[in-house]
Amino acid sequence: MYGGKEKIWERHRHRYEVNPEYIERLVAAGDLEFVGKDEKGERMQVLELRDHPYFVGFQAHPEFCTRPLNPSPAFLGFVSASASATVLEGQMKNQVLHFVPPHPPGAMVSEAELKDLGKNTLANGTEVIVGSPK
């Protein structure tokens, strides 16, 4: 639903997450597949059931970036799958051709860049954290 993009950006907060000690066991137990991870590959962000038409577990809050003429792919996929498999297939093809990320390119920065924004370097070379990097 994200137009075949290798990297996606969605707004979210981590209050809950999958315990890394259970990931392999969860995947081995059935059709569960973690298809989205954080940039370090440590936190599971998106899961799907392999043989289900549209079953998605999502850490993000896609409602923050949804716009009437540019809905979040997570919402678009859910509504399309609810309509029919044919509608979902058509929307997936359309997304490959026309998907526009909701965030401006300059807003899509790495975790390291965000942490650097909270640092100042003094004249003597000492790094000082300004505010909380979290």
Side-chain angles (χ1 to χ4, degrees):
M1 291 305 304
Y2 287 86
K5 302 291 186 225
E6 189 174 306
K7 182 184 284 189
I8 65 167
W9 294 85
E10 290 281 358
R11 181 176 168 185
H12 69 280
R13 292 178 287 178
H14 279 286
R15 291 195 178 185
Y16 305 101
E17 63 184 58
V18 178
N19 184 333
E21 294 176 15
Y22 291 95
I23 293 169
E24 285 184 29
R25 283 194 271 178
L26 288 168
V27 171
D31 292 331
L32 182 72
E33 184 176 359
F34 291 100
V35 297
K37 300 174 184 174
D38 70 352
E39 65 183 21
K40 294 178 182 176
E42 297 171 355
R43 291 187 182 133
M44 303 301 112
Q45 304 291 339
V46 184
L47 67 85
E48 295 179 349
L49 290 181
R50 290 184 193 106
D51 295 324
H52 193 280
Y54 195 82
F55 184 99
V56 177
F58 206 53
Q59 282 276 29
H61 292 274
E63 68 274 15
F64 290 128
C65 296
T66 289
R67 300 295 180 262
L69 298 176
N70 190 18
S72 165
F75 286 149
L76 182 61
F78 176 71
V79 171
S80 298
S82 298
S84 74
T86 304
V87 172
L88 175 61
E89 184 179 332
Q91 285 297 332
M92 289 174 68
K93 288 178 181 176
N94 187 55
Q95 286 292 91
V96 168
L97 298 173
H98 303 289
F99 173 66
V100 177
H103 308 289
M108 297 189 288
V109 298
S110 70
E111 186 175 331
E113 290 173 294
L114 288 174
K115 286 181 179 179
D116 284 344
L117 289 174
K119 293 180 182 177
N120 281 345
T121 304
L122 301 177
N124 67 3
T126 304
E127 270 190 357
V128 178
I129 303 294
V130 179
S132 173
K134 291 185 179 182

